[in-house]
Every structure is written in C-alpha cells, then in structure tokens.
Amino acid sequence: MARSLALSLCLLVLFHGCLAYRQSSYSQSGQNECQINQLQAREPDNRIETEAGRIESWDYNQDDFQCAGVAVQRIIVERNGLHLPSYTNTPRLVYVVQGRGHLGMVMPGCPETFEESEQSDEEQQGSQQQGQQGRQQQGRRQGQYGRGGQQGQQESFEQLDRHQRVRRVKEGDVIAIPAGVTTWSYNDGDQSLIFVSLLDISNNQNQLDQNPRRFYLAGNPQDEFNQQGQSRGQSRQQQGQQGRSRRQQQGNNNNNIFAGFDTRLLADALNIDQQTAQQLQGQNDNRPQIVRVQGRLDFIQPPESMREERQLQGQQMQGQQGQQGQNGFEEVFCHMKIKQNIGKPSLADVFSPQAGRISTLNGLSMPILRHLRLSAERGFLYNNAIHSPHWNLNAHEIVYAIRGSARVQVVNDNGETILDDQVRQGQLFIVPQNHAVLQKAMSNGYEYIAFKTDDNAMMNTMAGRTSVLRALPDVVLTNAYQMDREQARNLKYNRQETLALSSSRSFQSQRSWWAIA
C-alpha cells in the first residue's frame, strides 16, 4: 500500500513538473517574441475589394503583433451592403468608427426572441379573399430571403419568421464577440459603416494555432489575412500549400464551410433539395464577403422611438399573448450585454475642459469582457493636449487613430525609444506590456480607440495627480534624481489633472520641439 502511494505521488510530481516545463517553455517563447527594438505606426497590409465594401488587415506576423498576440482588421461596408455571416477562432472586440447599421449575433442555444406577430381576424379574412395569388407572392418572398423549403412545401410551410436579436449599432459602439459566435452586419445608413476589429489570437478561447481564421457561412470569400507563406510552423505551411493547391484546382480563392460537404449528404441533413444545397455551397455564386442587397433587408426589429412603439402597441392591444418565462441560463448568457457606446461626451470617465476626455470599458462595466479577457479605452484629446505618460501593468495596448494625429513615443526597459513617430488617422501602433508611452495631440486634435488584452487593464501614470512620482516621498525623489526639495515638490504637484493633460507649451514651442527632434 505504501509503495503504491509513493508511486502515485511520484507520477503526480512528474506530471506537474512536465506541465510546468511546458508552461514555462510557452511563456519563454512568448517573452522572446516581445524583445522588440523598433516599433512603427502601421497602415493595413492586405486589402480585399468587394461589390459593396472592402476588408483591410494588418500583417499579424510582424514582431509587434506577435508580441501582443493579436490581429486587426478594418471592415468598410458601403450603403445597402451586407457583410455575410461568419465566425472566427478568436474572441473579437469591435469598435464602430463611422456610420450606423445593424449587427446580428447568433448565440448558440438561445431562443429566437424576435418574431412576427399573428395576423388579426380582419387581416386573416383579407388574406383569405386574396386567394392563391397572395400565397404565390408570399412564396416568392420567402424564396428571396431563404425562408421557404422545397417548392411543393411552400403552401403548407407558412411559419412566421423568427430569429435572434438584431442590434442597432452606431459610431462609438464597442461590441464584444466570443470565439466561434456567428455575426453579420448590414448598412442601412447614409454613409459607409466602418468597423475596426481586434482578434485576440493568444486568448485561451482559441484552441487552434496562432493564426487568425474566419469561417464564412455564405459566399466565396477571399483570404482576409494573406496567410500564404506567412503561417508559423513548417507543417502549417505545408497544409496551407496543399489547401491552396486544392482551391486553385477548384477555381476559387476560398469557399464557405458548406462547400466542403457532399451536396447529397448536406441536402439530407437539412431536409432540402439538392438545388438549395448547391445554393448554400455557393457553387454558382462568385461574390466575396460583402454583397450588395437588392432592395432593402426587411427583418424583424423593435421600433426606434417611443412614438412608434406606442402606435405598435395600440395596433397589437387585442389578441396579444404574453411571453414565455426565461430560465436561468438564458437570463445569464442569452441576454448578456454585448455592446456599449463609449463615444458620447456625457459618458466620459475623465474630462478636462482644457485637454479633452477619456472613456473606459472593462469587465466591471460590461461583464462579458471578463469572459473575453479584453477591455477598451476611447480618447478625445484637444489641440496639443497630452495623454499622461504611462505603462500598462497587465496588458498589451493596441491603439488605432480614429481622427487627427499625435506624436507618439514608446520606451522599452533599457530606456531606448523604440517608437517616435507622428501617428495619423487610420494608422495603428502597439504598446507592449510595461513599456512606457506618451501621446501628444497635434494642432488638429487626436481621437483614438485603444484595445487592451485584459478585462481589467491597469495603468500607472507618470504625470498628474495619480502618478507614480506623486506617490513617492520627497526624500526619495531628491536622492534618486539629485534635485533639491523644491524641485521635488514642483515635480510632484505641478500637475493637478489625471490622464488628459493640457499642454504647458505653446504651438510655437511644439514646432521648435519637432525641429530639434
């Protein structure tokens, strides 16, 4: 008995030792990828043009992206454009840069809470008088939107449309999307709908390799990340080359996930005819990821105003049925808040009349971010204002310039400046964990969205009322920097702001600063 117990303990110790070694090796590998000597503000490297928009992506194989373990896309959906349903192998944090539209998210196992209402008695009598002509029109309409089945079943299959919630999105919204969750978007606004999307490749929800992948349910998509010759690992490269050769033989850049199934097998699984199965597979459809809608999408959505809601309530007062109760799982998961607007001035967490405003979104204010282990910060700096120099204690930071421009400097652990550049609208840069960063808006102001790789990302500022310098005793400062007590007091108390700092220099001083640099 004692010998058996000792053997079990030895195996347990050996198992934990091997596990610790694997974790240590993985951690060391990740640390090696963050030994960066140079950073830069980057433009997108890959662009896909579609009939109703374009998809741009940054090269995630660059050292700074590998260090942060992320990929970034910019998706532009033109007016009346539909970004086809898809999902990714990573959680996503999406910011709406411009425009307004609709976003659908399919949560697995959740009920279809948006449904058409039953017709009233008068409407039913009117429908009966219309006869066969009305049923044929309904069949054509169902065929257009994919509601109908086989032709012989159109008269018997008259289900009312039901689907999961469709959300209205607009500029300033942050949207949290778990890995593997299907989304689609539609632009019904009067300008282009622009998203910036962060894909957290290193997140533990991604059980595949360290490559971003998007799986489409429709269309014949092109490679969004231009992975040819860039994937990590020899086996991955060989697999990619074999897959590409097969796609070249088929004459397509890529296919949706239905295309890989046998047509007859797919038709049998979905109880549809083979022609419909071929349409699912996109066999005669060469359209890529974003398609233009003929007419307008007419799906179920709640009224946008109280007036519309009161009118609808008056029409549906009679014969209205109560909703079924929800179980605990649906209350927690299916109705979880997945978007929040942080672009409104009234929602600012930090505000200075002279410098600007900053809003944050983390796992405390939006609980789903705890599951995704991500957070965001939205900044609006006035002309020549400064974001307090700081470092992130527990997260990498990916900053995208929405409007304006700023001078940005990033410093590593050796005190070396690894980024010193003017970041313009549409560019992004990455600040690795614990690296110090300073941002100063130019004369045209500076707006940004920063994604952070922790749901409760914490920063330590180097200037202002909550800075590390202010927390140090005077005698520590005088001895550390060889200054007198008055200088130490000025260093600690000259700034009363926190994050958004007003400039202490004039525009002329700024110009001379650039000339010296």
Side-chain angles (χ1 to χ4, degrees):
M1 182 67 181
R3 183 176 300 177
S4 176
L5 180 60
L7 180 60
S8 300
L9 290 174
C10 291
L11 290 175
L12 183 63
V13 171
L14 180 62
F15 170 76
H16 283 286
C18 294
L19 180 62
Y21 174 76
R22 292 183 62 184
Q23 292 176 344
S24 175
S25 299
Y26 179 80
S27 175
Q28 184 65 32
S29 175
Q31 290 175 0
N32 289 336
E33 292 172 351
C34 285
Q35 293 181 356
I36 301 173
N37 296 321
Q38 191 67 38
L39 294 172
Q40 67 182 71
R42 299 188 182 278
E43 303 275 357
D45 302 281
N46 188 36
R47 173 180 293 187
I48 297 175
E49 297 287 348
T50 70
E51 65 179 25
R54 66 180 183 271
I55 298 177
E56 302 170 335
S57 61
W58 281 259
D59 183 5
Y60 68 96
N61 285 283
Q62 297 290 343
D63 290 341
D64 45 358
F65 283 88
Q66 291 292 311
C67 172
V70 299
V72 180
Q73 287 186 306
R74 182 167 58 204
I75 301 172
I76 297 96
V77 183
E78 296 176 357
R79 294 178 58 184
N80 219 30
L82 172 66
H83 189 199
L84 297 174
S86 65
Y87 59 91
T88 63
N89 61 323
T90 71
R92 287 173 282 165
L93 202 57
V94 181
Y95 181 78
V96 183
V97 176
Q98 174 185 295
R100 56 179 295 170
H102 290 88
L103 182 133
M105 182 181 300
V106 181
M107 291 291 193
C110 295
E112 300 91 351
T113 56
F114 281 32
E115 56 184 348
E116 291 179 337
S117 60
E118 296 288 347
Q119 289 180 325
S120 64
D121 293 338
E122 295 180 358
E123 290 175 338
Q124 290 178 358
Q125 292 176 2
S127 299
Q128 291 175 359
Q129 293 175 358
Q130 290 177 0
Q132 182 67 28
Q133 181 178 359
R135 285 195 297 271
Q136 290 177 354
Q137 292 177 355
Q138 184 181 11
R140 286 195 297 269
R141 184 167 61 253
Q142 290 174 348
Q144 180 180 357
Y145 293 101
R147 298 179 188 172
Q150 301 177 7
Q151 184 176 0
Q153 299 175 346
Q154 287 183 355
E155 293 185 6
S156 60
F157 185 75
E158 295 182 356
Q159 284 275 11
L160 298 174
D161 186 20
R162 297 179 179 178
H163 56 74
Q164 288 193 16
R165 179 181 180 183
V166 179
R167 294 168 171 85
R168 167 70 69 175
V169 295
K170 61 182 182 298
E171 180 179 336
D173 282 346
V174 174
I175 307 159
I177 306 172
V181 170
T182 300
T183 59
W184 57 270
S185 59
Y186 171 62
N187 182 4
D188 64 344
D190 55 1
Q191 60 179 331
S192 295
L193 180 60
I194 302 178
F195 301 96
V196 172
S197 178
L198 175 87
L199 291 80
D200 189 7
I201 304 173
S202 60
N203 195 288
N204 57 10
Q205 290 187 24
N206 176 24
Q207 299 295 305
L208 297 176
D209 51 28
Q210 296 298 300
N211 295 286
R213 306 188 192 186
R214 187 184 289 269
F215 300 77
Y216 276 90
L217 277 70
N220 280 303
Q222 301 177 26
D223 185 2
E224 297 182 356
F225 296 98
N226 194 22
Q227 295 183 3
Q228 182 172 1
Q230 294 183 356
S231 301
R232 287 191 281 175
Q234 183 175 2
S235 61
R236 171 67 177 154
Q237 290 179 355
Q238 294 174 352
Q239 292 174 4
Q241 292 172 359
Q242 293 173 1
R244 283 189 296 275
S245 64
R246 286 195 298 267
R247 289 194 294 270
Q248 291 172 357
Q249 294 174 2
Q250 295 173 357
N252 292 320
N253 291 330
N254 228 329
N255 297 305
N256 69 59
I257 59 175
F258 288 111
F261 293 113
D262 178 79
T263 303
R264 294 182 179 180
L265 207 59
L266 181 63
D268 190 19
L270 297 178
N271 193 22
I272 56 177
D273 56 43
Q274 291 192 32
Q275 181 180 358
T276 305
Q278 291 173 354
Q279 289 177 294
L280 281 177
Q281 294 175 323
Q283 294 187 10
N284 298 316
D285 187 358
N286 295 322
R287 298 176 303 170
Q289 291 92 316
I290 306 175
V291 302
R292 193 172 302 280
V293 174
Q294 301 300 323
R296 295 182 69 86
L297 285 189
D298 184 19
F299 47 82
I300 307 165
Q301 55 181 319
E304 294 189 32
S305 65
M306 294 292 293
R307 180 179 179 182
E308 293 179 2
E309 186 175 29
R310 282 192 292 268
Q311 293 176 352
L312 181 64
Q313 185 177 9
Q315 296 172 1
Q316 303 294 335
M317 187 66 68
Q318 297 181 351
Q320 186 176 8
Q321 299 179 355
Q323 296 182 351
Q324 297 180 355
Q326 305 287 346
N327 60 38
F329 176 78
E330 292 169 351
E331 289 291 342
V332 173
F333 181 73
C334 297
H335 300 284
M336 186 176 291
K337 185 178 182 180
I338 60 97
K339 80 176 180 72
Q340 183 167 320
N341 192 286
I342 59 173
K344 297 179 181 178
S346 59
L347 300 177
D349 297 304
V350 175
F351 173 70
S352 169
Q354 292 78 32
R357 66 179 189 269
I358 296 174
S359 302
T360 58
L361 187 64
N362 56 31
L364 298 176
S365 53
M366 192 170 170
I368 193 175
L369 294 178
R370 302 176 192 171
H371 179 62
L372 272 59
R373 301 299 305 272
L374 294 170
S375 58
E377 175 183 301
R378 171 71 163 87
F380 187 106
L381 298 182
Y382 300 156
N383 301 352
N384 305 318
I386 302 172
H387 188 299
S388 177
H390 66 276
W391 69 86
N392 292 292
L393 278 68
N394 56 345
H396 302 298
E397 185 174 8
I398 300 89
V399 184
Y400 175 83
I402 299 173
R403 296 179 185 87
S405 58
R407 184 182 185 183
V408 178
Q409 292 185 330
V410 178
V411 179
N412 66 8
D413 57 316
N414 294 322
E416 300 170 337
T417 306
I418 59 176
L419 172 63
D420 187 358
D421 201 357
Q422 180 177 343
V423 179
R424 303 183 305 275
Q425 176 179 336
Q427 293 183 323
L428 67 77
F429 63 94
I430 292 177
V431 184
Q433 178 185 2
N434 297 140
H435 285 54
V437 56
L438 189 154
Q439 305 171 74
K440 179 171 182 176
M442 304 300 292
S443 58
N444 55 347
Y446 175 53
E447 298 181 47
Y448 68 89
I449 178 70
F451 303 104
K452 301 190 179 185
T453 58
D454 192 273
D455 60 291
N456 189 24
M458 297 180 290
M459 69 170 63
N460 205 332
T461 58
M462 305 167 69
R465 193 172 66 247
T466 59
S467 71
V468 60
L469 296 177
R470 189 155 180 169
L472 294 175
D474 292 351
V475 291
V476 173
L477 294 176
T478 57
N479 285 275
Y481 299 110
Q482 297 183 346
M483 61 176 60
D484 58 38
R485 193 178 186 86
E486 182 180 357
Q487 288 177 309
R489 288 294 180 92
N490 290 334
L491 179 64
K492 290 178 64 173
Y493 301 111
N494 271 357
R495 282 284 186 188
Q496 299 303 318
E497 305 121 316
T498 54
L499 284 179
L501 311 178
S502 58
S503 176
S504 59
R505 299 190 176 201
S506 63
F507 179 65
Q508 289 77 10
S509 298
Q510 184 189 26
R511 295 181 60 182
S512 62
W513 186 25
W514 271 102
I516 296 174

